Amino acid sequence: MTITNATIASMAGSERKMQVAVDRIRNETNELVGSGLAATTAEVQALANGGPRKVSLDYVKPLSADVFNVTNDDINDEGDVGGMEGASFNAMRLDLNYAFGTTDLTQIVTGYAKDGDIRAGLAGYQNAVTKGLVGSSLIGVRAALEANAVITHDVEGDYDWQAIYDAAATAEEWSNLFNIMLVSHGRYAKMQGAQNGFVAPSESNTRFANAQGYTLIKTNTLTDDQVVLARTGALAYGEGTAQQAFEVERKANGGNGGGADILHTRFSRVAQPVGMSYEGGIPTSQAAVKTALEAAASWELVAPEAQFGFRFINFNTGA
């Protein structure tokens, strides 16, 4: 078999075609969107597309079901009038980029020329970066709400479904919206082995496993004793595209004169837990992003506890 010298440029076609293909594959395989955890609004998408990196977004607090008027026949008896209360929270956009390079020699040796491989790889990379940002944000939010007994639940014993149900019940009339569970890879394996209401993706005809009615998302930001429950749309999500989302740079003298290509990818993301205000600074490096998102001081709860879309459960706290 003849191994041809395929370059990134020949595999990618035009940068615009690559952008369209990567966007399609990324959207099809995005766990955050596919699970229902992430929801996009016009305001969040506007932030993702440009402007200031940190803005204030508005939301409406839920109406109280404990107040109402009872109609009577007195024309002069005016009913009480309440107000729809709103609040705001700060959200941040991260403008990200990375470059991938190959030398002509590497491509000759490996024969890496399958059309679509590079597109699927880039889509998977962007989704993985976004998922990592969400994981770091939830670490910070958990730390900020560690003392909140409504949102954070410490359980002395081992993993227990009743504790899961009790945590969801604190959302009161919104509890039935909690249908997503983030778990570690180890906890996922334990649930799979126990077969206690576990439904594999092949059985549910989706890309997600299911346990006791909860869609499971695996993450390496949790331990086996940590679980995060989430309701549909708990994450405000936006994807922004740079003016030159993909760009191929040819280095004729790279590879010690043999030639090389560098593929640049640029993308913007907003992934904000709804009801939490981001009070931290705007990071300017990879290390600073992780530090800022995982700091308790970066987050402030502004939504009513019952309305907040996440619940944190820590098992084996008495061991």
Side-chain angles (χ1 to χ4, degrees):
M1 180 181 70
T2 303
I3 299 177
T4 59
N5 179 8
T7 66
I8 284 180
S10 66
M11 286 187 287
S14 71
E15 285 101 337
R16 175 57 183 165
K17 288 181 179 179
M18 171 172 279
Q19 178 184 334
V20 172
V22 170
D23 287 349
R24 175 183 58 79
I25 297 170
R26 186 186 65 246
N27 291 333
E28 290 174 352
T29 57
N30 190 322
E31 289 184 292
L32 302 176
V33 175
S35 66
L37 176 63
T40 300
T41 65
E43 293 79 11
V44 175
Q45 190 56 43
L47 170 60
N49 282 332
R53 291 189 176 95
K54 185 176 179 181
V55 301
S56 178
L57 301 178
D58 298 325
Y59 75 98
V60 178
K61 292 184 178 180
L63 298 176
S64 173
D66 296 327
V67 294
F68 48 82
N69 295 320
V70 178
T71 303
N72 60 36
D73 291 327
D74 185 351
I75 192 173
N76 294 314
D77 185 9
E78 297 186 359
D80 293 332
V81 178
M84 294 187 68
E85 295 185 16
S88 62
F89 62 94
N90 292 324
M92 174 180 62
R93 180 185 74 250
L94 287 172
D95 297 317
L96 310 167
N97 71 83
Y98 203 65
F100 305 86
T102 59
T103 64
D104 291 354
L105 178 60
T106 299
Q107 294 166 81
I108 292 172
V109 172
T110 61
Y112 180 59
K114 292 183 179 179
D115 186 51
D117 282 357
I118 193 168
R119 299 175 177 87
L122 289 168
Y125 165 75
Q126 291 186 4
N127 280 339
V129 169
T130 305
K131 188 176 177 181
L133 296 175
V134 172
S136 288
S137 295
L138 292 179
I139 289 174
V141 171
R142 177 199 291 267
L145 301 177
E146 184 178 7
N148 188 310
V150 174
I151 295 173
T152 302
H153 301 254
D154 292 332
V155 182
E156 291 187 2
D158 201 358
Y159 187 91
D160 176 61
W161 276 106
Q162 187 58 55
I164 300 290
Y165 303 144
D166 290 343
T170 60
E172 301 172 359
E173 60 260 46
W174 294 279
S175 60
N176 63 329
L177 297 177
F178 278 75
N179 57 3
I180 301 163
M181 184 185 299
L182 285 74
V183 297
S184 69
H185 293 266
R187 176 55 60 186
Y188 182 97
K190 290 179 172 62
M191 297 168 75
Q192 187 177 23
Q195 289 295 313
N196 182 13
F198 182 90
V199 180
S202 58
E203 298 176 55
S204 63
N205 293 320
T206 69
R207 293 185 293 108
F208 301 94
N210 183 286
Q212 301 287 357
Y214 288 92
T215 298
L216 300 180
I217 299 178
K218 291 181 283 186
T219 173
N220 58 10
T221 60
L222 297 174
T223 70
D224 292 358
D225 289 327
Q226 295 175 326
V227 170
V228 177
L229 299 185
R231 58 178 263 188
T232 303
L235 191 71
Y237 183 69
E239 295 183 351
T241 302
Q243 286 186 323
Q244 190 71 30
F246 294 99
E247 187 173 1
V248 178
E249 176 188 357
R250 178 65 180 170
K251 296 180 71 68
N253 202 35
N256 199 26
D261 295 303
I262 297 177
L263 174 63
H264 298 270
T265 175
R266 306 176 181 101
F267 55 103
S268 299
R269 290 294 179 270
V270 177
Q272 175 88 17
V274 176
M276 295 297 298
S277 181
Y278 179 74
E279 301 299 320
I282 299 174
T284 57
S285 69
Q286 179 181 344
V289 168
K290 187 176 179 67
T291 299
L293 293 180
E294 296 184 2
S298 293
W299 301 98
E300 179 184 350
L301 179 67
V302 294
E305 293 170 338
Q307 188 188 15
F308 184 59
F310 292 93
R311 294 294 184 271
F312 305 99
I313 308 171
N314 306 312
F315 291 101
N316 288 318
T317 59

